[in-house]
Each structure stands twice: as structure tokens, then as C-alpha cells.
Amino acid sequence: MSRHTGVELGESFIDPGVNAAHINTVLGPRGSAAETAWTTSLATPSAGYERFVVIMRPGVPVQPFTVFVSKAAPVDDRHGELIWGPAQAGVAAGVADAVAAGTIAPDEVTDLRLIVAVWVNPKADDAEAVYRNNRLATATALANGALCHPDVDTVLKTRGQIANPFFTPADGGAPGTESHAEEIP
């Protein structure tokens, strides 16, 4: 019996530099909302945000079947090559790593569908780093999804330490500095 009875959501951000990987994952069994989203995503590409099945190499799709969704439209040929090449290869390897580690049970892969949303910085300049970071970020996001990480306590403890590579509030997002609208009964 599959341990995947629902949809698992995962996230990981590896390396704050230009070759960073920011991965979001949606993993679920056939017949679930994940499969519906998987099929819809693959069947409805939008200009600049093409979706495709992730391959280990031509003719060998990774298992579970994975659709790659780029979060950034290619700004030039080099950026597109980093998305289609090392980022895709990193996602494929990261999914295979998750299967090898038991995060995804090998006997369940044919019954699962995986969506991986991938961000590659247009300023990325090192194909090997893009590959390594996407590999690690994919495996980590899948592990985080399996563990339902982060838990609510971690989220609440972190609310005074808000930051990302593009913005950190001057107050760090300290509790008590935000404004609240009046509560409606």
C-alpha cells in the first residue's frame, strides 16, 4: 500500500548567489489533485514558461514522472540553456537521489506524479553550480515535503527573522511592527 495518500508540498533554497536554486515541489498519487495539476501544467504551457517532462537522458524520464515548470522565462539563449540543461539535469538527479534515499519509495514511483517549479537566475554564470544546487534543492524539497517541514512552531519562531536574497526588512520583520486591519466580527 502506498504511503502517499495525499499531496506533499516541499520547498528548498540552496546558495544565496547568482547560481542559486529555489525549488518548490508538489508530489501526489495518481488520481489526486497533484495528478490533475501535473496533467494541466503539461497540457497548458504559456509563452516563455514551457513545461516539460524531466529526463535522466533522452528516452529515460525520471521516475516518478516529473514535470518541470520554470519560474523564470529565459531572457536569452544562455539563460534558456541553463534552464533546459543543468537545472533540468539537477532536478532529475535530485529526484533520483530522493528515491535512492527512500524519501520516495522505489516501489511507488510509477503511482506518483511530481511537479517541480524551478527558478534559475538570469545572471547565473556557472552551469556546474546550477546543476549541483538544483540537485540538492530538489532532494531537499522532497524530503521537506515528506516531513511536512517546516512545522508551525518553526514558522512562528522565524517570523521575527524575515529575509530572502532580495529583501530583508530593516526591522528584520520583528513581531509587533506590523500593522493589522480592524478585526471584523
Side-chain angles (χ1 to χ4, degrees), residues 77-150:
D77 287 346
R78 173 75 175 140
H79 186 224
E81 289 169 6
L82 289 171
I83 293 168
W84 284 77
Q88 175 185 199
V91 168
V95 172
D97 290 346
V99 174
T103 303
I104 300 170
D107 62 339
E108 295 182 357
V109 297
T110 59
D111 291 325
L112 298 171
R113 296 297 174 261
L114 175 60
I115 301 168
V116 180
V118 182
W119 178 74
V120 176
N121 189 329
K123 295 178 184 175
D125 59 9
D126 183 339
E128 289 294 328
V130 169
Y131 167 78
R132 282 190 312 272
N133 291 337
N134 277 280
R135 182 177 189 163
L136 179 57
T138 300
T140 302
L142 289 166
N144 288 343
L147 296 170
C148 297
H149 178 76

Side-chain angles (χ1 to χ4, degrees), residues 31-92:
S32 70
E35 183 177 43
T36 301
W38 191 98
T39 305
T40 302
S41 176
L42 191 60
T44 56
S46 58
Y49 298 90
E50 292 79 13
R51 286 73 180 240
F52 53 89
V53 172
V54 175
I55 60 170
M56 301 293 292
R57 65 173 188 244
V60 182
V62 71
Q63 291 286 336
F65 262 90
T66 302
V67 68
F68 184 111
V69 177
S70 180
K71 294 191 259 180
V75 297
D76 56 28
D77 287 346
R78 173 75 175 140
H79 186 224
E81 289 169 6
L82 289 171
I83 293 168
W84 284 77
Q88 175 185 199
V91 168

Side-chain angles (χ1 to χ4, degrees), residues 149-163 169 172-175:
H149 178 76
D151 61 25
V152 71
D153 290 337
T154 300
V155 170
L156 293 175
K157 287 176 188 173
T158 307
R159 68 181 257 242
Q161 304 161 5
I162 304 300

